[in-house]
Amino acid sequence: MLAKRKLAAIIATAAAVMVSAPAFADGDAKKGAKVFKKCKACHVVDSDKNKVGPSLQGVMGRTAGTVEGFKYSKAMIAYGKEWNDETLAAFLKKPKKAVKGTKMAFAGLRKDDQIADVIAYIKENGGAE
């Protein structure tokens, strides 16, 4: 009987964790526009212009380290994963942890809701082409 209670508690805890996990696809693009101001010094999303960082136009679904004309770190080229909600969220949270050796100097966004909002903003403004 005790084992069943423990199992039920474990299942309930796991379900709560899954429900409370950030849904990066459900961010608020309007709020993301405000957060993206931190990114604008280095990135654009609505054109293919590279700045200090690569253009984020069409970033969703693109392989990391492949924007033509941008000089990436060896680490970013080697990373080689496709940008999607999960990979972008991990990178935005802690860039230097997600891609050890990246040239990106930004420390990252601390709040999951801000990450979700920035991803929504990127998708709605040219990042999901």
Side-chain angles (χ1 to χ4, degrees):
M1 187 68 140
L2 185 59
K4 286 184 181 180
R5 284 188 195 159
K6 282 186 179 181
L7 180 60
I10 291 169
I11 291 171
T13 301
V17 168
M18 290 184 342
V19 169
S20 67
F24 295 108
D26 296 332
D28 182 328
K30 276 190 172 182
K31 290 179 182 176
K34 292 177 185 172
V35 180
F36 191 78
K37 288 179 181 179
K38 296 176 182 184
C39 312
K40 282 188 172 187
C42 299
H43 298 280
V44 295
V45 70
D46 58 354
S47 80
D48 62 358
K49 179 184 174 188
N50 293 324
K51 294 172 81 176
V52 172
S55 167
L56 301 178
Q57 185 177 45
V59 69
M60 301 307 281
R62 182 172 69 215
T63 302
T66 61
V67 169
E68 194 162 324
F70 187 79
K71 187 172 168 100
Y72 287 95
S73 65
K74 290 178 184 176
M76 184 60 73
I77 294 167
Y79 178 68
K81 293 184 182 180
E82 182 178 295
W83 292 119
N84 57 41
D85 287 356
E86 292 77 24
T87 54
L88 192 54
F91 188 72
L92 290 172
K93 185 131 186 141
K94 293 188 178 181
K96 294 198 181 288
K97 181 178 178 186
V99 181
K100 290 178 179 29
T102 183
K103 292 190 304 184
M104 188 156 130
F106 183 65
L109 297 171
R110 289 186 213 119
K111 298 179 181 178
D112 288 339
D113 60 333
Q114 288 183 332
I115 293 169
D117 294 344
V118 167
I119 291 172
Y121 173 79
I122 289 169
K123 286 179 175 180
E124 285 192 17
N125 290 279
E129 290 181 15

